[in-house]
Amino acid sequence: MASSSTQTLALQTDSSALNCFKEKLMAKIFRFYDEQSLTDVTFKVSNPTAHVPAHRLILAAASPYFENLFKGNKGNKPIIEINDIDSDIFERLITFCYTGQALITVTNVGAMLKAAIRLQLDDAITRCVEYLMAHIDEYTLHDAYMLERETRCEILKRKFIEYEIKNFMEISQSDEFLNFDVERLQRILESDNLNITREEDAFDAINRWFNYDVPAREEQLPLLIACLRLTQFDADFLLTHIQPLPGCELLAFKALSWISKPEARTKINMRFAEPRAVICEKTLLALCCVETWMNPTLLQYNKAEDKWQEYASINCDYKWYRTILKDDNILFTGGEKKDDETTSNIVRSWNIRNKTWQDLPAMKQARRSHCVVELNGKIYAIGGFDGKKSLSTVERYTTSDGWEFVSSLNDRRYNASAVTLNGKIYIMGGRNSGVPLKSVECYNPDSNTWTSCADMTECHWLHGVAVHKGHIYVVGCFSGNGTVERYDPQQNTWSKICSLEVGRGIIACASLDNKLWAIFFSVSGNKISVSVYNEENDRWEQKCAFPGHFVLSCYVVPVALLK
């Protein structure tokens, strides 16, 4: 008989022959299974009742569950009952033991994962987790988190945390985020790869989590604040936002000392003194057009050179549509057709990377001059005009349920503006049957209700709006006054800040690099002007302008997306 060392040498010198032998052997074994030949055990499985024949040796080699089963007294029986796994799922996993493959779908992945864990099929568990993460948008975050809690699958938890780090901005706005335990949140916030544009994003997320259950989380708050890169905040932010938090006074003091006394930094024990290794650099994209709105141009802002350049021309024969940035796509919703000027319910997605169109399910109601926002991964189309009258209807889109109506607005309105903040939707201004509005409404998705908020100080329509540092900013333009108002959601109050000298036209706003940007068409110069708000001096500072006409929308996108 050959020794083990001789066998190893033979295997090393003829690995191709060995692989060929293994392939033939496995093909033969699977044929035996397929033909139900030479089987020596049968499983009786319920729901519906089915008999699944197999080979003990193969199953024992594939799983410690079957190995222990066949070694025990129960394993000697020719028929073994399995009562806690559906027959279809069980048969798929038995096939996996022979082939290493199984048909996994969005509808069965949860049951497959639970059964794979029950049968101790590690490779099948990995396949299920990989499939789930690849189809997470179809499966929905809520169901995925439910599955993780039910299975307590460590592989799934680890993959989820990787996903949460990569998609932190979206996850932190979800309802599931509010129920994260402190250990999970710590693991996410500690990561150098946390995908945020600025450290304030992580602070805002902690604040939202904390305010959801203040009494129960007060003691845990300092653990999370300590995960922030506190040295990246300025002194004013530390004194205003960090120091007043319960248990965080010392953290704020150490960070202030580190910032103000560089010579003493070696003596200050800061857990995270350096900025995160990976901060996703972002820039602006502006969707611009002539008065007809058709065939818009997408312009990219180069921050380093303070200039705008054309990124793409988009072939679009609609007008009065509304757009939103969704992942790597710009969604065009509704609008008015070019040929017959009828209002449409069409929804199309234009991919920024590939510059290609894709049709999506149409809205239930045709609308133009409406508002469209994203909240917790769901797209909302709000109000607008149907060609005859102002609308108050609101509908919501998910990949699983398509478009469905939710509660309507209290006031009909079109050419309004809307944003999301603190898990709610705010819509403000617009017109109702031609009458300008200064009213504001807030939508709570938990109760599916719209409630009135404090009115703006002036009426605005086709105005710019952006969320910036926990406040909502409204910049009037089409009304011709250039008034800028700021809304405090905690106090439910509006206040005016420095006005912006703008001409009559459409304006877009965005928050980038911790600054508020306004992009608008200047009639006098026949160009698109760009201004950045200086909060310390309460004034607007001019940036690079560029030839053009109306700016329809403005998006903050990763620079890497445009390469």
Side-chain angles (χ1 to χ4, degrees), residues 314-460:
I314 302 177
N315 184 21
C316 177
D317 57 358
Y318 280 71
K319 60 182 179 179
W320 313 126
Y321 48 79
R322 289 297 183 263
T323 66
I324 187 175
L325 182 69
K326 173 64 174 172
D327 300 324
D328 295 349
N329 304 284
I330 299 175
L331 269 57
F332 287 69
T333 64
E336 186 177 280
K337 296 179 182 179
K338 174 184 177 181
D339 49 3
D340 57 7
E341 296 187 346
T342 58
T343 305
S344 172
N345 62 349
I346 191 173
V347 180
R348 294 179 295 170
S349 173
W350 190 83
N351 186 267
I352 296 174
R353 290 185 187 274
N354 304 326
K355 302 178 182 178
T356 55
W357 285 102
Q358 179 183 359
D359 291 332
L360 296 179
M363 296 181 291
K364 287 185 175 296
Q365 179 158 20
R367 60 183 82 226
R368 64 173 175 85
S369 304
H370 52 288
C371 293
V372 56
V373 297
E374 179 181 9
L375 179 64
N376 298 333
K378 303 176 178 69
I379 306 297
Y380 289 78
I382 309 168
F385 194 77
D386 67 359
K388 296 181 180 179
K389 62 181 183 301
S390 307
L391 298 174
S392 63
T393 59
V394 182
E395 49 188 305
R396 177 176 62 200
Y397 175 77
T398 60
T399 53
S400 57
D401 299 326
W403 290 96
E404 56 184 0
F405 285 111
V406 295
S407 290
S408 296
L409 294 165
N410 296 320
D411 292 326
R412 300 172 181 268
R413 60 181 81 215
Y414 65 94
N415 284 338
S417 292
V419 292
T420 60
L421 176 63
N422 298 330
K424 297 178 181 179
I425 299 173
Y426 290 83
I427 186 169
M428 53 223 75
R431 286 174 172 263
N432 183 1
S433 301
V435 178
L437 302 173
K438 60 181 177 180
S439 61
V440 180
E441 298 182 46
C442 175
Y443 176 72
N444 186 333
D446 295 331
S447 59
N448 188 28
T449 55
W450 289 91
T451 56
S452 297
C453 302
D455 288 350
M456 296 181 291
T457 60
E458 296 184 14
C459 297
H460 295 283

Side-chain angles (χ1 to χ4, degrees), residues 99-142:
T99 65
Q101 298 178 348
L103 180 59
I104 306 173
T105 66
V106 171
T107 55
N108 75 12
V109 64
M112 288 280 283
L113 178 60
K114 294 176 185 178
I117 293 172
R118 169 84 169 83
L119 300 177
Q120 297 177 262
L121 290 167
D122 291 343
D123 289 335
I125 293 171
T126 301
R127 299 283 196 287
C128 289
V129 170
E130 289 174 348
Y131 181 90
L132 178 61
M133 299 312 299
H135 297 79
I136 191 69
D137 291 338
E138 301 172 54
Y139 196 75
T140 77
L141 276 177
H142 174 75

Side-chain angles (χ1 to χ4, degrees), residues 22-39:
K22 288 180 177 179
E23 290 176 5
K24 289 181 179 180
L25 180 64
M26 291 309 300
K28 190 77 170 179
I29 290 172
F30 183 69
R31 196 180 79 184
F32 286 150
Y33 172 69
D34 199 37
E35 296 174 351
Q36 298 186 9
S37 176
L38 301 178
T39 56

Side-chain angles (χ1 to χ4, degrees), residues 78-308:
I79 297 179
I80 300 175
E81 292 189 15
I82 302 290
N83 297 315
D84 52 358
I85 302 176
D86 290 351
S87 55
D88 177 67
I89 298 297
F90 184 81
E91 190 165 4
R92 289 174 192 252
L93 290 175
I94 293 299
T95 301
F96 183 88
C97 294
Y98 287 83
T99 65
Q101 298 178 348
L103 180 59
I104 306 173
T105 66
V106 171
T107 55
N108 75 12
V109 64
M112 288 280 283
L113 178 60
K114 294 176 185 178
I117 293 172
R118 169 84 169 83
L119 300 177
Q120 297 177 262
L121 290 167
D122 291 343
D123 289 335
I125 293 171
T126 301
R127 299 283 196 287
C128 289
V129 170
E130 289 174 348
Y131 181 90
L132 178 61
M133 299 312 299
H135 297 79
I136 191 69
D137 291 338
E138 301 172 54
Y139 196 75
T140 77
L141 276 177
H142 174 75
D143 292 341
Y145 280 118
M146 285 285 292
L147 183 62
E148 185 206 335
R149 286 192 288 270
E150 291 175 8
T151 61
R152 298 184 180 180
C153 177
E154 189 59 34
I155 299 175
L156 182 57
K157 182 177 182 179
R158 186 169 64 249
K159 287 292 184 181
F160 260 136
I161 290 177
E162 292 175 5
Y163 178 85
E164 290 153 0
I165 290 171
K166 182 178 179 181
N167 300 275
F168 184 75
M169 296 302 293
E170 176 186 352
I171 295 295
S172 64
Q173 291 298 315
S174 68
D175 293 337
E176 287 74 17
F177 176 80
L178 298 175
N179 293 308
F180 280 8
D181 58 58
V182 68
E183 291 80 11
R184 186 190 199 105
L185 202 44
Q186 275 184 285
R187 287 177 64 179
I188 296 170
L189 293 168
E190 288 172 349
S191 173
D192 266 353
N193 297 318
L194 190 65
N195 189 10
I196 54 177
T197 58
R198 58 196 183 99
E199 201 62 27
E200 285 86 346
D201 293 334
F203 172 79
D204 291 342
I206 294 174
N207 225 19
R208 181 170 181 259
W209 179 87
F210 172 63
N211 289 328
Y212 184 70
D213 190 355
V214 172
R217 295 174 174 177
E218 190 167 317
E219 292 185 8
Q220 301 169 329
L221 182 61
L223 297 174
L224 301 180
I225 295 297
C227 297
L228 296 174
R229 281 42 175 178
L230 294 171
T231 58
Q232 302 308 301
F233 299 125
D234 58 32
D236 181 65
F237 188 94
L238 291 167
L239 289 170
T240 306
H241 295 86
I242 304 297
Q243 188 173 10
L245 296 175
C248 297
E249 296 86 351
L250 181 58
L251 291 171
F253 174 76
K254 288 168 65 175
L256 284 167
S257 300
W258 197 94
I259 293 170
S260 61
K261 300 177 180 179
E263 69 281 359
R265 288 177 181 176
T266 56
K267 300 178 183 179
I268 302 173
N269 182 22
M270 292 294 299
R271 186 179 178 192
F272 298 106
E274 300 299 322
R276 298 184 191 273
V278 178
I279 291 290
C280 182
E281 183 184 2
K282 299 198 174 185
T283 190
L284 296 174
L285 278 180
L287 188 69
C288 307
C289 72
V290 295
E291 271 188 273
T292 61
W293 284 55
M294 298 178 191
N295 301 320
T297 300
L298 199 58
L299 299 175
Q300 171 188 353
Y301 179 59
N302 185 322
K303 291 190 290 183
E305 301 180 17
D306 186 27
K307 70 177 185 179
W308 292 81

Side-chain angles (χ1 to χ4, degrees), residues 8-27:
T8 302
L9 180 61
L11 296 181
Q12 290 174 341
T13 56
D14 197 6
S15 58
S16 61
L18 175 64
N19 289 336
C20 182
F21 172 77
K22 288 180 177 179
E23 290 176 5
K24 289 181 179 180
L25 180 64
M26 291 309 300

